[in-house]
Amino acid sequence: MLSFTYQILPSRVVFGAGCLGKLPEEIKRLGASKALVLSTREQRHSGLDLVERLGECAVGLYDRAVMHVPIETAQAAGEEAKRLGADCCVAIGGGSTTGLAKAIALVSDLPILAVPTTYAGSEMTPIWGLTEKGRKTTGRDPRVLPKTVLYDPCLTVTLPPMLSATSGMNSIAHCMEALYAQEANPIMSMVAEDAIRALAESLPVVVKEPGNLEARGRALYGAWLGGMALGSVGMALHHKLCHTLGGSYNLPHAETHTVVLPHTTAYNAPAAPEAMGRVARALGAESAAEGMYDLAAALGAPLSLAAIGMKAGDLDAAADLAVHNPYYNPRPITREGIRALLGNAFDGSRP
Ligand code: NAD
């Protein structure tokens, strides 16, 4: 019998090549007129471009966004927003920059307009993260959900091919887990399946021809849907495991998702046959786990934890950490099962 709860998240999405040109009118639509633009150092030039486009509606650029939102960065950015009298934040970049805007919104209620330039999907979620003394805490709060998101594929052509590949696999991971989530519902399952299809079709083209706007647009469309899935339902083993590995062993975010995904998929496959069928169909593969592995391989992405800096001697402790706090997963989590999964991911063997 069909039974579910579905809650829609309120955000406005403007999508299309060149839609960044609508930034000034979208800021006005928010009722704001003093935007603080946020970026990483690497994307400072993009931040400056936005400041220029906004003219009198911009109060400045804060270009210190870094991975995992250190609390010191969040506090400094928040103080800068206050000092400049900002009435909204415009985040241009990936999950790190959107994350900084969210940290500001969490303590100030400033509305966020996000301009994503990766496929991570943070702009569609009410999930915030903050790192203090090396420990990352995450939570959900409707105040941090960006009010408006401008998806302009032209801004993604500079995303390096390998980051495009792993960031896209990160989005596919959101979709995978949405399909067997505790809160899974028919709408989000449709969204997740279509996102996987869009990403699996476009990423191989994006990697070969980073300037192909058609493929970039389709990948960004998939990333939008992937972010929506992540924001709407809870995640499970895959995201918890990547969070543990990234936080405790300082492994790179998108690469970790890419390497681990085929193995968490294989682990959960016996307990989520319907979800796996949808994933395999969207990937055009025999099985979901094989399809994930073959896609990552075709993209030239890293395939083993060994290749992204994990040490074999840390696998036992990682398995202990991963089973420490119980959480929902379609298949029961055992220390033995997780240790075997980590061993396979370390070696990078095809599931
Ligand atoms: P990122 O934001 O850290 O970006 C990686 C690098 O790529 C940065 O130097 C950035 O400036 C650069 N970059 C981004 N777009 C570019 C472009 N188009 N051209 C050239 N360079 C570009 O990477 P990410 O994978 O988007 O985000 C990872 C972070 O986001 C992690 O901390 C993760 O935990 C978080 N995240 C949060 C959520 C959420 O819902 N809260 C969702 C997904 C990811």
Side-chain angles (χ1 to χ4, degrees):
M1 272 294 229
L2 203 53
S3 162
F4 60 88
T5 303
Y6 172 67
Q7 184 165 348
I8 200 159
L9 291 175
S11 67
R12 175 177 165 85
V13 170
V14 181
F15 193 106
C19 76
L20 186 62
K22 296 184 177 151
L23 179 64
E25 68 189 81
E26 290 297 331
I27 292 285
K28 282 200 193 97
R29 208 172 187 281
L30 283 176
S33 59
K34 293 174 188 159
L36 175 63
V37 177
L38 307 172
S39 74
T40 59
R41 291 246 190 205
E42 295 79 14
Q43 288 180 285
R44 180 179 163 78
H45 57 285
S46 305
L48 286 172
D49 174 49
L50 262 53
V51 169
E52 199 173 313
R53 282 170 188 265
L54 285 168
E56 286 184 351
C57 282
V59 291
L61 168 68
Y62 189 86
D63 67 357
R64 311 277 165 83
V66 288
M67 187 84 102
H68 301 314
V69 200
I71 188 125
E72 300 78 14
T73 311
Q75 282 164 349
E79 276 158 27
E80 187 68 350
K82 211 185 259 175
R83 187 181 73 78
L84 294 167
D87 60 5
C88 76
C89 286
V90 176
I92 180 156
S96 298
T97 307
T98 309
L100 180 59
K102 288 176 167 184
I104 297 174
L106 197 59
V107 291
S108 68
D109 273 342
L110 286 190
I112 301 170
L113 186 152
V115 185
T117 62
T118 71
Y119 306 132
S122 173
E123 67 283 351
M124 290 307 294
T125 83
I127 305 166
W128 55 266
L130 272 173
T131 303
E132 191 169 9
K133 296 196 181 102
R135 250 195 101 230
K136 187 165 178 177
T137 313
T138 59
R140 282 180 179 254
D141 191 313
R143 286 178 303 165
V144 309
L145 178 73
K147 301 273 183 288
T148 305
V149 184
L150 298 188
Y151 282 106
D152 188 337
C154 299
L155 299 171
T156 62
V157 296
T158 51
L159 188 64
M162 206 30 63
L163 193 47
S164 302
T166 54
S167 185
M169 292 302 292
N170 184 196
S171 184
I172 290 179
H174 306 332
C175 301
M176 168 80 228
E177 295 231 292
L179 283 162
Y180 55 58
Q182 197 166 23
E183 305 83 359
N185 61 70
I187 299 287
M188 276 312 132
S189 295
M190 273 195 297
V191 162
E193 186 178 335
D194 200 37
I196 296 176
R197 187 169 293 112
L199 285 159
E201 283 170 8
S202 58
L203 290 175
V205 183
V206 158
V207 167
K208 281 198 197 81
E209 303 166 40
N212 184 321
L213 257 191
E214 186 80 30
R216 285 290 189 181
R218 187 129 170 83
L220 197 58
Y221 164 79
W224 165 46
L225 298 184
M228 208 194 284
L230 173 68
S232 300
V233 298
M235 297 285 117
L237 171 66
H238 175 79
H239 280 72
K240 306 281 181 192
L241 195 53
C242 290
H243 183 89
T244 302
L245 293 173
S248 307
Y249 304 101
N250 204 23
L251 300 184
H253 175 80
E255 285 92 328
T256 307
H257 274 271
T258 305
V259 167
V260 172
L261 186 59
H263 305 284
T264 44
T265 306
Y267 185 90
N268 279 332
E274 198 194 324
M276 297 300 159
R278 294 183 82 138
V279 173
R281 192 163 68 198
L283 291 172
E286 281 288 306
S287 83
E290 288 169 327
M292 297 285 195
Y293 185 91
D294 293 345
L295 177 59
L299 297 174
L303 295 170
S304 70
L305 288 175
I308 60 168
M310 183 99 189
K311 302 271 175 290
D314 286 333
L315 292 174
D316 282 324
D320 290 340
L321 275 175
V323 298
H324 193 60
N325 291 323
Y327 50 83
Y328 166 81
N329 190 58
R331 181 176 165 193
I333 290 171
T334 63
R335 162 75 176 61
E336 215 182 0
I338 298 305
R339 179 61 183 83
L341 185 169
L342 284 172
N344 293 335
F346 184 80
D347 296 340
S349 50
R350 187 172 185 265

